[in-house]
Amino acid sequence: MDGQGPVGTVSTAGRGSDDAAVSQIVSWYRLHARDLPWRRPGTSPWAILVSEVMSQQTPVARVIPAWEDWQRRWPGPADLAAAPTADVLRAWGRLGYPRRALRLKECAAVVVAEHDGVLPAEREPLLALPGVGEYTAGAVLAFAHGRRALALDTNVRRVLARAVGGQALPAPHLGRAERERAESLLPDDDATAAQWSVAVMELGALVCVAREPDCGACPWRRRCAWLAVGRPADEHAGRRRTQAWAGTDRQARGLIMTVLRKADDGRGVLAEALLAAAAGAAKRGDADPGQPARALAGLLADGLIATDDAGTTYRLP
């Protein structure tokens, strides 16, 4: 995930943070930050929220063109709330996890109905919005409003696990102790905390990556606990769930959605054609005969597809 981070004067005042680390990492960010479109001046809080939702479990290279197209079509909550759901799902394209697109549209409708079309700027109202969790709310507060707020994504968790915790990778699930550690490292004042948050996130995205981190280029290397103890292996490796894309129900669902996105607006596609498309996800010699029907039923239950004739044909909603 990648956030918006305005860069200004850096204070070294910090609650539990290392003042030198704050200065070094923010200075590194100023020199090496990517020119992502949602980081540019004038980007609205809503557009930053959209970028955060799109960036969940999706490479930034795929997010950029989708986000730019999305902003041209639906720059604000009212625009998205009024958009046909089928158009929204088509625009989502190859970003994956299309339920995120539905949640964004639902979120936009609530912002229009309950907040006069203006995204809230406080934590609790943000958390009450559809599809907005702890991370996204924190990211909006930090990156859109320059506030002191915890934005713990995968990149930040990895950097702090290594530099402070001495671990190769964080535990599979975010725990209370990890959250409290991250909170203690946030500088006190809003502007510096927001800069620190985006800088650590960028460090994890570009240098302190999951595989083969470039420790020689890291501004935190001299005090990195993981580096100091010889870069030990991942102690949580046995607890991590890994699943290849090929042959999964997710791939089968994606194949069905690809067919429906290409269909003429409002025209149904025969269920047999969709089941045949989903069957392409099966691994050679390891086919699951129930997978295509399961994928189709799951998409219908999630509201991502619709039928007007009791399942003879399907279309985007």
mmCIF file of all heavy atoms in Angstrom, residues 122-165:
data_model
loop_
_atom_site.group_PDB
_atom_site.id
_atom_site.type_symbol
_atom_site.label_atom_id
_atom_site.label_comp_id
_atom_site.label_asym_id
_atom_site.label_seq_id
_atom_site.Cartn_x
_atom_site.Cartn_y
_atom_site.Cartn_z
ATOM 1 N N GLU A 122 -12.255 12.536 10.705
ATOM 2 C CA GLU A 122 -12.028 12.027 12.049
ATOM 3 C C GLU A 122 -12.101 10.503 12.024
ATOM 4 O O GLU A 122 -12.787 9.904 11.185
ATOM 5 C CB GLU A 122 -13.056 12.588 13.040
ATOM 6 C CG GLU A 122 -13.031 14.099 13.173
ATOM 7 C CD GLU A 122 -11.704 14.641 13.706
ATOM 8 O OE1 GLU A 122 -11.028 13.899 14.447
ATOM 9 O OE2 GLU A 122 -11.371 15.793 13.381
ATOM 10 N N ARG A 123 -11.407 9.881 12.952
ATOM 11 C CA ARG A 123 -11.224 8.435 12.922
ATOM 12 C C ARG A 123 -12.535 7.661 13.030
ATOM 13 O O ARG A 123 -12.792 6.757 12.218
ATOM 14 C CB ARG A 123 -10.279 8.027 14.061
ATOM 15 C CG ARG A 123 -9.975 6.546 14.119
ATOM 16 C CD ARG A 123 -8.951 6.243 15.206
ATOM 17 N NE ARG A 123 -8.674 4.821 15.317
ATOM 18 C CZ ARG A 123 -9.401 3.982 16.032
ATOM 19 N NH1 ARG A 123 -10.445 4.439 16.718
ATOM 20 N NH2 ARG A 123 -9.089 2.689 16.071
ATOM 21 N N GLU A 124 -13.362 7.944 14.013
ATOM 22 C CA GLU A 124 -14.567 7.145 14.227
ATOM 23 C C GLU A 124 -15.541 7.226 13.056
ATOM 24 O O GLU A 124 -16.056 6.184 12.613
ATOM 25 C CB GLU A 124 -15.243 7.536 15.546
ATOM 26 C CG GLU A 124 -14.422 7.180 16.783
ATOM 27 C CD GLU A 124 -13.984 5.719 16.803
ATOM 28 O OE1 GLU A 124 -14.794 4.843 16.425
ATOM 29 O OE2 GLU A 124 -12.832 5.445 17.190
ATOM 30 N N PRO A 125 -15.841 8.418 12.520
ATOM 31 C CA PRO A 125 -16.715 8.459 11.335
ATOM 32 C C PRO A 125 -16.111 7.742 10.135
ATOM 33 O O PRO A 125 -16.837 7.128 9.347
ATOM 34 C CB PRO A 125 -16.871 9.959 11.064
ATOM 35 C CG PRO A 125 -16.593 10.629 12.363
ATOM 36 C CD PRO A 125 -15.552 9.773 13.030
ATOM 37 N N LEU A 126 -14.790 7.783 9.999
ATOM 38 C CA LEU A 126 -14.155 7.050 8.902
ATOM 39 C C LEU A 126 -14.349 5.548 9.085
ATOM 40 O O LEU A 126 -14.683 4.826 8.134
ATOM 41 C CB LEU A 126 -12.661 7.377 8.846
ATOM 42 C CG LEU A 126 -12.269 8.695 8.193
ATOM 43 C CD1 LEU A 126 -10.798 9.011 8.458
ATOM 44 C CD2 LEU A 126 -12.542 8.666 6.691
ATOM 45 N N LEU A 127 -14.149 5.059 10.301
ATOM 46 C CA LEU A 127 -14.284 3.627 10.554
ATOM 47 C C LEU A 127 -15.715 3.136 10.361
ATOM 48 O O LEU A 127 -15.937 1.943 10.128
ATOM 49 C CB LEU A 127 -13.827 3.304 11.977
ATOM 50 C CG LEU A 127 -12.322 3.367 12.226
ATOM 51 C CD1 LEU A 127 -12.008 3.206 13.705
ATOM 52 C CD2 LEU A 127 -11.603 2.282 11.425
ATOM 53 N N ALA A 128 -16.677 4.039 10.440
ATOM 54 C CA ALA A 128 -18.077 3.656 10.255
ATOM 55 C C ALA A 128 -18.450 3.498 8.786
ATOM 56 O O ALA A 128 -19.538 2.997 8.469
ATOM 57 C CB ALA A 128 -18.991 4.699 10.910
ATOM 58 N N LEU A 129 -17.575 3.901 7.879
ATOM 59 C CA LEU A 129 -17.863 3.814 6.455
ATOM 60 C C LEU A 129 -17.655 2.388 5.939
ATOM 61 O O LEU A 129 -16.755 1.692 6.401
ATOM 62 C CB LEU A 129 -16.965 4.763 5.675
ATOM 63 C CG LEU A 129 -17.150 6.260 5.956
ATOM 64 C CD1 LEU A 129 -16.071 7.072 5.238
ATOM 65 C CD2 LEU A 129 -18.538 6.719 5.513
ATOM 66 N N PRO A 130 -18.449 1.947 4.973
ATOM 67 C CA PRO A 130 -18.267 0.604 4.404
ATOM 68 C C PRO A 130 -16.866 0.426 3.818
ATOM 69 O O PRO A 130 -16.363 1.303 3.100
ATOM 70 C CB PRO A 130 -19.323 0.551 3.288
ATOM 71 C CG PRO A 130 -20.356 1.546 3.692
ATOM 72 C CD PRO A 130 -19.612 2.646 4.386
ATOM 73 N N GLY A 131 -16.232 -0.676 4.167
ATOM 74 C CA GLY A 131 -14.939 -1.008 3.591
ATOM 75 C C GLY A 131 -13.750 -0.278 4.182
ATOM 76 O O GLY A 131 -12.623 -0.472 3.725
ATOM 77 N N VAL A 132 -13.967 0.559 5.186
ATOM 78 C CA VAL A 132 -12.865 1.314 5.795
ATOM 79 C C VAL A 132 -12.507 0.681 7.136
ATOM 80 O O VAL A 132 -13.307 0.665 8.065
ATOM 81 C CB VAL A 132 -13.230 2.800 5.989
ATOM 82 C CG1 VAL A 132 -12.100 3.536 6.718
ATOM 83 C CG2 VAL A 132 -13.513 3.454 4.649
ATOM 84 N N GLY A 133 -11.297 0.143 7.212
ATOM 85 C CA GLY A 133 -10.823 -0.455 8.448
ATOM 86 C C GLY A 133 -9.782 0.406 9.127
ATOM 87 O O GLY A 133 -9.566 1.565 8.749
ATOM 88 N N GLU A 134 -9.107 -0.165 10.108
ATOM 89 C CA GLU A 134 -8.136 0.589 10.902
ATOM 90 C C GLU A 134 -7.032 1.177 10.034
ATOM 91 O O GLU A 134 -6.664 2.335 10.188
ATOM 92 C CB GLU A 134 -7.513 -0.323 11.970
ATOM 93 C CG GLU A 134 -8.463 -0.753 13.072
ATOM 94 C CD GLU A 134 -8.646 0.327 14.131
ATOM 95 O OE1 GLU A 134 -7.899 1.330 14.078
ATOM 96 O OE2 GLU A 134 -9.528 0.166 14.987
ATOM 97 N N TYR A 135 -6.485 0.350 9.130
ATOM 98 C CA TYR A 135 -5.395 0.869 8.302
ATOM 99 C C TYR A 135 -5.865 2.015 7.413
ATOM 100 O O TYR A 135 -5.229 3.074 7.353
ATOM 101 C CB TYR A 135 -4.768 -0.220 7.418
ATOM 102 C CG TYR A 135 -3.884 0.436 6.386
ATOM 103 C CD1 TYR A 135 -2.630 0.917 6.755
ATOM 104 C CD2 TYR A 135 -4.336 0.687 5.094
ATOM 105 C CE1 TYR A 135 -1.842 1.611 5.849
ATOM 106 C CE2 TYR A 135 -3.557 1.375 4.185
ATOM 107 C CZ TYR A 135 -2.315 1.840 4.567
ATOM 108 O OH TYR A 135 -1.550 2.555 3.677
ATOM 109 N N THR A 136 -6.953 1.824 6.687
ATOM 110 C CA THR A 136 -7.399 2.844 5.737
ATOM 111 C C THR A 136 -7.750 4.142 6.446
ATOM 112 O O THR A 136 -7.422 5.238 5.963
ATOM 113 C CB THR A 136 -8.607 2.335 4.930
ATOM 114 O OG1 THR A 136 -8.258 1.100 4.293
ATOM 115 C CG2 THR A 136 -9.017 3.332 3.863
ATOM 116 N N ALA A 137 -8.415 4.046 7.593
ATOM 117 C CA ALA A 137 -8.739 5.261 8.351
ATOM 118 C C ALA A 137 -7.466 5.989 8.765
ATOM 119 O O ALA A 137 -7.362 7.217 8.625
ATOM 120 C CB ALA A 137 -9.568 4.901 9.584
ATOM 121 N N GLY A 138 -6.473 5.241 9.258
ATOM 122 C CA GLY A 138 -5.214 5.863 9.649
ATOM 123 C C GLY A 138 -4.492 6.483 8.469
ATOM 124 O O GLY A 138 -3.907 7.568 8.579
ATOM 125 N N ALA A 139 -4.522 5.806 7.325
ATOM 126 C CA ALA A 139 -3.853 6.321 6.137
ATOM 127 C C ALA A 139 -4.484 7.630 5.669
ATOM 128 O O ALA A 139 -3.780 8.567 5.276
ATOM 129 C CB ALA A 139 -3.905 5.285 5.022
ATOM 130 N N VAL A 140 -5.798 7.711 5.699
ATOM 131 C CA VAL A 140 -6.475 8.948 5.290
ATOM 132 C C VAL A 140 -6.104 10.087 6.235
ATOM 133 O O VAL A 140 -5.800 11.207 5.805
ATOM 134 C CB VAL A 140 -8.000 8.741 5.249
ATOM 135 C CG1 VAL A 140 -8.732 10.081 5.103
ATOM 136 C CG2 VAL A 140 -8.380 7.813 4.095
ATOM 137 N N LEU A 141 -6.120 9.821 7.533
ATOM 138 C CA LEU A 141 -5.776 10.872 8.500
ATOM 139 C C LEU A 141 -4.330 11.330 8.331
ATOM 140 O O LEU A 141 -4.040 12.530 8.359
ATOM 141 C CB LEU A 141 -6.002 10.361 9.923
ATOM 142 C CG LEU A 141 -7.457 10.094 10.316
ATOM 143 C CD1 LEU A 141 -7.528 9.466 11.698
ATOM 144 C CD2 LEU A 141 -8.280 11.379 10.273
ATOM 145 N N ALA A 142 -3.418 10.378 8.137
ATOM 146 C CA ALA A 142 -1.999 10.731 8.028
ATOM 147 C C ALA A 142 -1.676 11.362 6.688
ATOM 148 O O ALA A 142 -1.041 12.424 6.620
ATOM 149 C CB ALA A 142 -1.139 9.483 8.251
ATOM 150 N N PHE A 143 -2.102 10.718 5.591
ATOM 151 C CA PHE A 143 -1.634 11.118 4.272
ATOM 152 C C PHE A 143 -2.494 12.185 3.603
ATOM 153 O O PHE A 143 -2.003 12.931 2.759
ATOM 154 C CB PHE A 143 -1.528 9.891 3.369
ATOM 155 C CG PHE A 143 -0.720 8.774 3.973
ATOM 156 C CD1 PHE A 143 -1.068 7.452 3.781
ATOM 157 C CD2 PHE A 143 0.398 9.051 4.747
ATOM 158 C CE1 PHE A 143 -0.319 6.426 4.336
ATOM 159 C CE2 PHE A 143 1.153 8.033 5.321
ATOM 160 C CZ PHE A 143 0.789 6.718 5.114
ATOM 161 N N ALA A 144 -3.763 12.270 3.985
ATOM 162 C CA ALA A 144 -4.628 13.306 3.418
ATOM 163 C C ALA A 144 -4.690 14.547 4.292
ATOM 164 O O ALA A 144 -4.849 15.658 3.785
ATOM 165 C CB ALA A 144 -6.036 12.757 3.201
ATOM 166 N N HIS A 145 -4.562 14.355 5.606
ATOM 167 C CA HIS A 145 -4.737 15.477 6.534
ATOM 168 C C HIS A 145 -3.484 15.804 7.339
ATOM 169 O O HIS A 145 -3.502 16.725 8.163
ATOM 170 C CB HIS A 145 -5.902 15.184 7.481
ATOM 171 C CG HIS A 145 -7.212 14.993 6.778
ATOM 172 N ND1 HIS A 145 -7.878 16.030 6.154
ATOM 173 C CD2 HIS A 145 -7.961 13.880 6.568
ATOM 174 C CE1 HIS A 145 -8.994 15.570 5.612
ATOM 175 N NE2 HIS A 145 -9.066 14.270 5.837
ATOM 176 N N GLY A 146 -2.401 15.054 7.142
ATOM 177 C CA GLY A 146 -1.163 15.347 7.846
ATOM 178 C C GLY A 146 -1.270 15.181 9.347
ATOM 179 O O GLY A 146 -0.638 15.910 10.110
ATOM 180 N N ARG A 147 -2.023 14.169 9.788
ATOM 181 C CA ARG A 147 -2.283 13.979 11.214
ATOM 182 C C ARG A 147 -1.436 12.847 11.780
ATOM 183 O O ARG A 147 -0.952 11.983 11.051
ATOM 184 C CB ARG A 147 -3.766 13.661 11.426
ATOM 185 C CG ARG A 147 -4.711 14.724 10.865
ATOM 186 C CD ARG A 147 -5.220 15.626 11.924
ATOM 187 N NE ARG A 147 -6.139 14.917 12.802
ATOM 188 C CZ ARG A 147 -7.437 14.732 12.517
ATOM 189 N NH1 ARG A 147 -7.949 15.187 11.381
ATOM 190 N NH2 ARG A 147 -8.214 14.091 13.356
ATOM 191 N N ARG A 148 -1.295 12.834 13.077
ATOM 192 C CA ARG A 148 -0.622 11.741 13.775
ATOM 193 C C ARG A 148 -1.598 10.578 13.888
ATOM 194 O O ARG A 148 -2.527 10.597 14.697
ATOM 195 C CB ARG A 148 -0.168 12.185 15.158
ATOM 196 C CG ARG A 148 0.659 11.131 15.896
ATOM 197 C CD ARG A 148 1.027 11.610 17.293
ATOM 198 N NE ARG A 148 1.982 10.714 17.924
ATOM 199 C CZ ARG A 148 1.653 9.613 18.597
ATOM 200 N NH1 ARG A 148 0.387 9.285 18.755
ATOM 201 N NH2 ARG A 148 2.597 8.845 19.127
ATOM 202 N N ALA A 149 -1.406 9.569 13.060
ATOM 203 C CA ALA A 149 -2.317 8.423 13.047
ATOM 204 C C ALA A 149 -1.540 7.188 12.620
ATOM 205 O O ALA A 149 -0.658 7.260 11.772
ATOM 206 C CB ALA A 149 -3.480 8.683 12.086
ATOM 207 N N LEU A 150 -1.872 6.068 13.203
ATOM 208 C CA LEU A 150 -1.191 4.824 12.903
ATOM 209 C C LEU A 150 -1.665 4.283 11.564
ATOM 210 O O LEU A 150 -2.870 4.124 11.332
ATOM 211 C CB LEU A 150 -1.476 3.810 14.008
ATOM 212 C CG LEU A 150 -0.504 2.657 14.184
ATOM 213 C CD1 LEU A 150 0.896 3.175 14.471
ATOM 214 C CD2 LEU A 150 -0.979 1.749 15.321
ATOM 215 N N ALA A 151 -0.721 4.016 10.655
ATOM 216 C CA ALA A 151 -1.040 3.443 9.339
ATOM 217 C C ALA A 151 -0.129 2.231 9.151
ATOM 218 O O ALA A 151 0.923 2.310 8.529
ATOM 219 C CB ALA A 151 -0.828 4.470 8.240
ATOM 220 N N LEU A 152 -0.554 1.105 9.694
ATOM 221 C CA LEU A 152 0.281 -0.092 9.738
ATOM 222 C C LEU A 152 -0.055 -1.022 8.572
ATOM 223 O O LEU A 152 -0.897 -1.907 8.689
ATOM 224 C CB LEU A 152 0.057 -0.828 11.057
ATOM 225 C CG LEU A 152 1.019 -0.544 12.205
ATOM 226 C CD1 LEU A 152 0.635 -1.372 13.423
ATOM 227 C CD2 LEU A 152 2.445 -0.834 11.805
ATOM 228 N N ASP A 153 0.611 -0.834 7.455
ATOM 229 C CA ASP A 153 0.423 -1.762 6.347
ATOM 230 C C ASP A 153 1.534 -2.811 6.390
ATOM 231 O O ASP A 153 2.376 -2.831 7.298
ATOM 232 C CB ASP A 153 0.381 -1.024 5.011
ATOM 233 C CG ASP A 153 1.759 -0.656 4.486
ATOM 234 O OD1 ASP A 153 2.696 -0.523 5.298
ATOM 235 O OD2 ASP A 153 1.905 -0.488 3.267
ATOM 236 N N THR A 154 1.556 -3.691 5.391
ATOM 237 C CA THR A 154 2.549 -4.769 5.355
ATOM 238 C C THR A 154 3.971 -4.232 5.331
ATOM 239 O O THR A 154 4.871 -4.773 5.989
ATOM 240 C CB THR A 154 2.304 -5.659 4.125
ATOM 241 O OG1 THR A 154 0.967 -6.168 4.188
ATOM 242 C CG2 THR A 154 3.281 -6.816 4.090
ATOM 243 N N ASN A 155 4.185 -3.155 4.570
ATOM 244 C CA ASN A 155 5.529 -2.594 4.461
ATOM 245 C C ASN A 155 6.018 -2.035 5.796
ATOM 246 O O ASN A 155 7.157 -2.276 6.203
ATOM 247 C CB ASN A 155 5.550 -1.490 3.401
ATOM 248 C CG ASN A 155 5.379 -2.036 2.006
ATOM 249 O OD1 ASN A 155 5.962 -3.050 1.643
ATOM 250 N ND2 ASN A 155 4.561 -1.374 1.210
ATOM 251 N N VAL A 156 5.172 -1.289 6.468
ATOM 252 C CA VAL A 156 5.547 -0.701 7.754
ATOM 253 C C VAL A 156 5.799 -1.792 8.783
ATOM 254 O O VAL A 156 6.784 -1.752 9.535
ATOM 255 C CB VAL A 156 4.461 0.276 8.244
ATOM 256 C CG1 VAL A 156 4.807 0.805 9.639
ATOM 257 C CG2 VAL A 156 4.293 1.433 7.264
ATOM 258 N N ARG A 157 4.923 -2.771 8.819
ATOM 259 C CA ARG A 157 5.088 -3.868 9.776
ATOM 260 C C ARG A 157 6.430 -4.573 9.573
ATOM 261 O O ARG A 157 7.108 -4.925 10.539
ATOM 262 C CB ARG A 157 3.947 -4.867 9.638
ATOM 263 C CG ARG A 157 2.576 -4.359 10.060
ATOM 264 C CD ARG A 157 1.556 -5.484 10.006
ATOM 265 N NE ARG A 157 1.886 -6.519 10.976
ATOM 266 C CZ ARG A 157 1.518 -7.807 10.855
ATOM 267 N NH1 ARG A 157 0.853 -8.204 9.785
ATOM 268 N NH2 ARG A 157 1.833 -8.677 11.793
ATOM 269 N N ARG A 158 6.822 -4.774 8.311
ATOM 270 C CA ARG A 158 8.073 -5.469 8.021
ATOM 271 C C ARG A 158 9.278 -4.642 8.455
ATOM 272 O O ARG A 158 10.216 -5.167 9.061
ATOM 273 C CB ARG A 158 8.149 -5.781 6.524
ATOM 274 C CG ARG A 158 9.377 -6.582 6.125
ATOM 275 C CD ARG A 158 9.274 -7.085 4.701
ATOM 276 N NE ARG A 158 9.090 -6.015 3.737
ATOM 277 C CZ ARG A 158 7.962 -5.753 3.078
ATOM 278 N NH1 ARG A 158 6.884 -6.495 3.285
ATOM 279 N NH2 ARG A 158 7.888 -4.758 2.220
ATOM 280 N N VAL A 159 9.270 -3.351 8.162
ATOM 281 C CA VAL A 159 10.381 -2.486 8.554
ATOM 282 C C VAL A 159 10.542 -2.482 10.075
ATOM 283 O O VAL A 159 11.653 -2.643 10.592
ATOM 284 C CB VAL A 159 10.174 -1.054 8.039
ATOM 285 C CG1 VAL A 159 11.219 -0.104 8.633
ATOM 286 C CG2 VAL A 159 10.248 -1.018 6.513
ATOM 287 N N LEU A 160 9.454 -2.308 10.795
ATOM 288 C CA LEU A 160 9.541 -2.228 12.251
ATOM 289 C C LEU A 160 9.893 -3.579 12.864
ATOM 290 O O LEU A 160 10.598 -3.641 13.878
ATOM 291 C CB LEU A 160 8.235 -1.691 12.829
ATOM 292 C CG LEU A 160 7.845 -0.274 12.392
ATOM 293 C CD1 LEU A 160 6.606 0.190 13.141
ATOM 294 C CD2 LEU A 160 8.999 0.703 12.586
ATOM 295 N N ALA A 161 9.402 -4.672 12.267
ATOM 296 C CA ALA A 161 9.764 -5.997 12.772
ATOM 297 C C ALA A 161 11.264 -6.207 12.687
ATOM 298 O O ALA A 161 11.882 -6.762 13.608
ATOM 299 C CB ALA A 161 9.033 -7.081 11.988
ATOM 300 N N ARG A 162 11.865 -5.757 11.605
ATOM 301 C CA ARG A 162 13.302 -5.939 11.439
ATOM 302 C C ARG A 162 14.103 -4.928 12.248
ATOM 303 O O ARG A 162 14.966 -5.298 13.054
ATOM 304 C CB ARG A 162 13.656 -5.820 9.950
ATOM 305 C CG ARG A 162 13.215 -7.011 9.127
ATOM 306 C CD ARG A 162 13.450 -6.795 7.640
ATOM 307 N NE ARG A 162 13.085 -7.984 6.870
ATOM 308 C CZ ARG A 162 12.917 -8.005 5.553
ATOM 309 N NH1 ARG A 162 13.082 -6.891 4.851
ATOM 310 N NH2 ARG A 162 12.577 -9.118 4.935
ATOM 311 N N ALA A 163 13.847 -3.659 12.017
ATOM 312 C CA ALA A 163 14.682 -2.613 12.596
ATOM 313 C C ALA A 163 14.575 -2.558 14.110
ATOM 314 O O ALA A 163 15.561 -2.309 14.806
ATOM 315 C CB ALA A 163 14.324 -1.259 11.992
ATOM 316 N N VAL A 164 13.383 -2.797 14.648
ATOM 317 C CA VAL A 164 13.162 -2.665 16.086
ATOM 318 C C VAL A 164 13.042 -4.032 16.763
ATOM 319 O O VAL A 164 13.569 -4.252 17.852
ATOM 320 C CB VAL A 164 11.902 -1.819 16.369
ATOM 321 C CG1 VAL A 164 11.712 -1.618 17.871
ATOM 322 C CG2 VAL A 164 11.992 -0.472 15.664
ATOM 323 N N GLY A 165 12.345 -4.969 16.105
ATOM 324 C CA GLY A 165 12.091 -6.261 16.733
ATOM 325 C C GLY A 165 13.130 -7.322 16.468
ATOM 326 O O GLY A 165 13.130 -8.370 17.128
#
